[in-house]
């Protein structure tokens, strides 16, 4: 079973995504901050990260850079409730597998997660 790690500071979004992803057959871990996520033990196997761009403390894009800098490959889908030029540039520079703007539908979410999981299984860890 593939694992989706959700990092979002909005508890209601984490709960909704957890329910939706579990119904779709994924194992789900969720964290309210990048720091909380970094302090945890990463699962092995098929895993991807569903990551909010704007988090208090370390942002989602800073977390992406931190993971790459530490040599930890984790296929990432960035999500944001903001649709402006600055956010689009931040998302692009972070080089995610996919990016989604909230609210997104289940079909787009599932497509992005499958793409991330495929990319993760094809690369060395």
């Amino acid at each position: 079973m593939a694992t989706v790690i959700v990092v979002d500071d909005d508890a209601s979004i984490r709960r909704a995504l957890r329910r939706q992803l579990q119904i779709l057959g994924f194992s789900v871990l969720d964290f309210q901050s990048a720091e909380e996520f970094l302090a945890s033990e990463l699962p092995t196997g098929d895993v991807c990260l569903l990551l909010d761009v704007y988090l208090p403390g370390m942002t989602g894009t800073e977390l992406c850079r931190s993971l790459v800098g530490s040599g930890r490959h984790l296929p990432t889908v960035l999500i944001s409730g903001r649709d402006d030029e600055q956010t689009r540039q931040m998302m692009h520079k972070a080089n995610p597998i996919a990016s989604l703007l909230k609210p997104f539908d289940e079909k787009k979410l599932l497509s992005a997660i499958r793409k991330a999981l495929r990319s993760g299984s094809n690369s060395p860890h």
Side-chain angles (χ1 to χ4, degrees):
M1 178 187 297
T3 301
V4 178
I5 301 168
V6 178
V7 183
D8 196 307
D9 58 313
D10 186 325
S12 64
I13 289 179
R14 284 196 315 275
R15 273 193 309 273
L17 284 169
R18 172 182 281 279
R19 261 193 314 271
Q20 186 177 25
L21 291 167
Q22 286 174 332
I23 288 168
L24 292 169
F26 295 101
S27 174
V28 182
L29 298 173
D30 63 271
F31 302 94
Q32 65 182 353
S33 70
E35 292 84 359
E36 184 184 29
F37 164 71
L38 286 172
S40 74
E41 192 172 315
L42 282 180
T44 56
D46 286 340
V47 63
C48 75
L49 183 60
L50 190 57
L51 177 61
D52 190 18
V53 171
Y54 293 103
L55 295 168
M58 178 186 279
T59 67
T61 54
E62 289 167 342
L63 175 58
C64 285
R65 284 194 296 276
S66 171
L67 288 170
V68 168
S70 68
R72 290 154 74 187
H73 173 78
L74 196 54
T76 301
V77 176
L78 284 175
I79 58 176
S80 180
R82 296 188 202 172
D83 183 13
D84 56 43
E85 188 58 33
Q86 178 184 350
T87 302
R88 285 191 295 272
Q89 284 181 357
M90 285 173 64
M91 290 171 113
H92 179 73
K93 284 181 186 172
N95 198 27
I97 300 298
S99 46
L100 299 170
L101 293 171
K102 299 174 194 172
F104 39 79
D105 65 37
E106 187 174 288
K107 191 183 252 185
K108 286 182 180 173
L109 175 64
L110 195 52
S111 173
I113 289 171
R114 284 186 176 145
K115 184 177 178 184
L117 290 169
R118 276 194 310 272
S119 103
S121 64
N122 294 334
S123 63
H125 293 284

